[in-house]
Amino acid sequence: MRWTIKPKPSEDKIKHLAQALNVEDFVAQLLVQRGIETFEDAKLFFRPSLEHLHDPYLMKDMDKAVARIETAIENQERILVFGDYDVDGTTAVSLVSSYLKSYYPVVATYIPDRYDEGYGVSFKGIDFAEDNGFTLIIALDCGIKSIDHVAYAKERNIDFIICDHHRPGSTLPDAVAILDPKRDDCNYPYDELCGCGIGFKLIQALGSNRQQTIGDLVPYLDLVAAAIAADIVPMTGENRVLAYFGLQVINANPRPGIKALVHQIKKQTLDITDVVFIIAPRINAAGRIKHGNHAVELLTEFDFEQAQQFASEIEQYNSDRKDLDKQITKEAFIQITENQEQERFTSVVFQENWHKGVIGIVASRLIETYYRPTLVFTKSGDKYAASARSVKGFDVYNALEACASHLEQFGGHMYAAGMTIKPENYPAFKEAFEKQVQDTIPENLRVPEIEIDAEINFTDISPKLIRILKQFEPYGPLNMTPVFLTKNITDTGYAKTLGSDDEHLKLFVKQNNSEGITAIGFGIGDKIELTKNHQPFQAVYCIDENEWKGTTTVQLRLKNIK
């Protein structure tokens, strides 16, 4: 692990903000590091308001999208809401379809089959629309590169509205409207919305035509918060506002489907981390193991008993997914260790019977061990399909683009992508990808990094600090949980390892004459030797609260010690 202390902003900025907010200098430092430099910035950050959401009509083509939907309703056309099978896609489809159905009944949903149709808009989906008399398709979380598909639909007198957040190619599809803030010609003030976030902007625009206020749309924000958390988009601007209020809905009055998922896990109050690790994997499991339709059924069900039935089925899919994930990861590890005759800059593995629904998770697991850009391939029909994952700071999408001549198709983001390839091109692609990464990845990105926000002493950890840090939530990219460094720490003699393989570390630590604090480090049990015999060490950690039998205590979540 590389420990990197973030550059300290100018003392003037820190002092100015610390005085304006009446907080310690290091708290002001955390805020300035997040781009918050004035009292007004801090007010927006600490007091998110639905009034801070932008006018949806600032998005290019929003007027065209709304006009086409209103025409469809006026003419009693059949509308098909189409979306991808992951969390962002299924929540977006659930949001837009349930909103439209609240006042217009001729609306259906379509999620492509992960194995039969693959990612994004499919010809099979368009054929389904034609066979069933749909004349308008609203595509969510996909479609920005579906030039051939949109042309195919147009020949069949089916219009497309595309709501996507992925990077457009050099040519845009010939759709009635394309809502994508990443379009070069779109001046919308915030371009980091997820697919479900763009779906929300669409219903916000539709709602304004019906004299609905933003307050009327709050019940839909549980879906938006789930998508923001799962899609790992920046927790800034509109995303932070939508996630903040979406979490309130999840905890106070969620839709029956989300309530049923939460009911299964028996946790009182969920934070954004719980949404990432508890709700999102379950919604995803439907599309990974069975079909994304099951997630939409759950998220649009209004009868709680029926929702509980759907949730228990999804719980089973999630359990199956975990088993597959473990097995495939084990097999991938064997492949990598058997073929490690030379130093590699990438991990590329393939087995034709690996389950396509979990290869993305397996790629993430491999990075945890080998820390290099990773592709996991499996057979899909007569092609090979892969999920790509990357290490911090390295754009795997750009690397794939450089190897595009070997690929059939690909799409995705900086850190995650998917692709298909003809089997005969696989060996050449594997070497081209290895060479591309070797030529372009800086040496420092090959070692995992812990970014440290500030160095503090244990005496700085006060109830006031914990109250302030709670108001930094929800956390996410560009607003990550603050990481602190403290030096000259000693364990008081209670150090022990936990877990079946002693993989976790539990300590009771002090710094000089401070009060003792419990510290727990997941996955660093092997560091226990550094803490013995009262020898001093330094630690990087986040500050947590631990609830046990009705008592709340401060706890350090250790990330590393040395």
Side-chain angles (χ1 to χ4, degrees):
M1 284 284 195
R2 285 179 289 137
W3 293 16
T4 309
I5 297 183
K6 288 181 188 173
K8 194 173 179 183
S10 79
E11 284 293 341
D12 283 353
K13 284 182 180 175
I14 292 172
K15 292 280 182 210
H16 176 75
L17 190 62
Q19 284 173 356
L21 300 180
N22 188 26
V23 293
E24 285 76 7
D25 282 9
F26 76 86
V27 174
Q29 178 182 325
L30 298 178
L31 292 166
V32 176
Q33 283 166 337
R34 285 159 170 71
I36 297 149
E37 298 185 1
T38 65
F39 182 84
E40 202 49 46
D41 292 342
K43 192 176 167 189
L44 288 172
F45 181 75
F46 285 122
R47 301 284 178 269
S49 166
L50 292 166
E51 290 171 11
H52 299 156
L53 297 177
H54 304 301
D55 177 353
Y57 283 101
L58 294 173
M59 199 176 290
K60 175 87 174 170
D61 280 2
M62 184 63 81
D63 51 345
K64 294 178 186 172
V66 170
R68 181 64 186 89
I69 292 168
E70 298 294 9
T71 300
I73 291 170
E74 207 176 296
N75 296 335
Q76 295 289 297
E77 293 178 60
R78 294 169 71 80
I79 302 173
L80 187 65
V81 182
F82 187 110
D84 193 31
Y85 39 69
D86 64 5
V87 178
D88 197 13
T90 53
T91 52
V93 166
S94 301
L95 181 145
V96 172
S97 65
S98 59
Y99 178 77
L100 288 173
K101 280 181 184 173
S102 70
Y103 60 89
Y104 181 65
V106 199
V107 176
T109 62
Y110 190 98
I111 304 287
D113 184 284
R114 186 179 210 120
Y115 308 103
D116 182 32
E117 296 164 80
Y119 173 82
V121 178
S122 66
F123 290 113
K124 192 171 178 179
I126 295 165
D127 290 341
F128 171 86
E130 184 185 23
D131 293 345
N132 291 280
F134 291 96
T135 49
L136 176 61
I137 296 176
I138 302 172
L140 294 143
D141 189 35
C142 59
I144 196 65
K145 289 188 171 178
S146 302
I147 293 162
D148 294 343
H149 296 89
V150 173
Y152 180 82
K154 200 165 189 181
E155 287 167 10
R156 284 148 184 79
N157 297 313
I158 299 168
D159 285 339
F160 255 91
I161 293 169
I162 291 169
C163 307
D164 206 345
H165 69 121
H166 298 97
R167 293 187 220 172
S170 53
T171 308
L172 294 175
D174 186 18
V176 171
I178 299 174
L179 309 179
D180 187 339
K182 291 194 175 74
R183 284 176 65 164
D184 289 340
D185 58 351
C186 181
N187 296 319
Y188 190 72
Y190 188 72
D191 65 359
E192 294 295 348
L193 292 165
C194 61
C196 188
I198 291 170
F200 184 79
K201 300 310 294 187
L202 176 61
I203 72 164
Q204 197 185 341
L206 288 163
S208 68
N209 277 11
R210 295 183 156 63
Q211 282 67 57
Q212 288 177 315
T213 67
I214 194 70
D216 297 319
L217 303 178
V218 164
Y220 295 90
L221 291 180
D222 51 359
L223 293 171
V224 186
I228 288 169
D231 227 49
I232 325 285
V233 287
M235 196 59 79
T236 56
E238 278 194 311
N239 281 342
R240 191 159 183 277
V241 175
L242 293 167
Y244 178 87
F245 288 98
L247 273 171
Q248 289 185 358
V249 177
I250 287 171
N251 283 311
N253 191 24
R255 66 194 48 242
I258 287 182
K259 187 179 178 183
L261 285 180
V262 175
H263 194 68
Q264 299 245 99
I265 51 183
K266 298 177 176 57
K267 191 171 181 206
Q268 289 300 308
T269 305
L270 273 65
D271 60 21
I272 205 79
T273 308
D274 297 319
V275 178
V276 172
F277 290 107
I278 296 171
I279 291 181
R282 285 164 171 79
I283 296 173
N284 249 335
R288 291 187 190 283
I289 302 299
K290 202 78 173 170
H291 199 290
N293 278 336
H294 294 275
V296 175
E297 274 182 345
L298 171 75
L299 296 172
T300 54
E301 178 56 60
F302 286 99
D303 178 73
F304 183 60
E305 279 186 26
Q306 184 61 58
Q308 282 185 301
Q309 178 60 40
F310 289 147
S312 67
E313 288 167 13
I314 279 179
E315 193 63 34
Q316 185 56 53
Y317 302 149
N318 195 44
S319 176
D320 295 345
R321 187 269 304 166
K322 286 179 185 170
D323 294 342
L324 282 165
D325 160 15
K326 271 184 198 159
Q327 181 58 33
I328 296 170
T329 301
K330 205 167 157 185
E331 291 168 7
F333 277 144
I334 292 167
Q335 263 192 46
I336 291 171
T337 48
E338 283 177 352
N339 298 313
Q340 207 65 316
E341 68 289 341
Q342 64 192 66
E343 187 190 11
R344 303 286 291 186
F345 286 73
T346 64
S347 300
V348 182
V349 290
F350 162 74
Q351 196 161 299
E352 66 174 44
N353 63 349
W354 282 343
H355 196 291
K356 194 177 169 190
V358 298
I359 55 176
I361 302 172
V362 172
S364 298
R365 299 259 187 265
L366 296 179
I367 284 179
E368 285 170 15
T369 300
Y370 295 103
Y371 206 72
R372 53 201 188 199
T374 298
L375 308 180
V376 180
F377 279 89
T378 186
K379 197 157 191 242
S380 179
D382 58 353
K383 307 249 173 71
Y384 291 174
S387 273
R389 295 293 182 269
S390 194
V391 298
K392 186 177 176 186
F394 184 76
D395 194 326
V396 75
Y397 180 92
N398 285 348
L400 292 173
E401 203 162 35
C403 307
S405 60
H406 300 281
L407 297 169
E408 287 290 284
Q409 61 184 68
F410 71 98
H413 307 275
M414 178 173 179
Y415 291 121
M419 73 220 72
T420 55
I421 190 170
K422 288 179 179 171
E424 60 268 28
N425 293 340
Y426 174 72
F429 166 75
K430 186 174 176 177
E431 288 316 307
F433 182 67
E434 169 70 20
K435 184 166 190 326
Q436 176 63 24
V437 174
Q438 184 174 349
D439 291 349
T440 57
I441 192 166
E443 189 61 35
N444 65 319
L445 296 190
R446 300 183 65 209
V447 182
E449 177 188 41
I450 295 177
E451 275 197 301
I452 299 160
D453 291 83
E455 182 180 341
I456 64 171
N457 294 315
F458 282 171
T459 49
D460 295 318
I461 301 173
S462 64
K464 181 184 174 185
L465 174 64
I466 290 160
R467 281 197 306 275
I468 291 170
L469 291 181
K470 270 189 172 312
Q471 292 177 62
F472 275 51
E473 297 175 9
Y475 291 119
L478 303 187
N479 180 39
M480 298 300 279
T481 310
V483 176
F484 299 108
L485 163 66
T486 299
K487 295 176 178 171
N488 199 29
I489 300 171
T490 52
D491 179 64
T492 53
Y494 291 95
K496 62 179 179 180
T497 54
L498 306 170
S500 53
D501 298 323
D502 294 328
E503 67 265 45
H504 311 308
L505 178 65
K506 189 169 186 184
L507 308 171
F508 193 70
V509 291
K510 285 189 168 189
Q511 182 196 33
N512 304 324
N513 296 318
S514 72
E515 284 185 25
I517 305 179
T518 301
I520 187 144
F522 297 105
I524 58 168
D526 58 340
K527 305 263 185 193
I528 192 166
E529 291 303 317
L530 301 181
T531 70
K532 290 191 170 168
N533 306 320
H534 299 286
Q535 56 186 330
F537 58 91
Q538 45 189 314
V540 283
Y541 57 88
C542 301
I543 299 171
D544 268 352
E545 285 187 315
N546 184 39
E547 281 183 45
W548 178 247
K549 293 185 177 175
T551 306
T552 302
T553 53
V554 175
Q555 174 178 279
L556 309 183
R557 184 160 36 89
L558 299 173
K559 294 177 83 69
N560 209 236
I561 65 173
K562 66 180 180 184

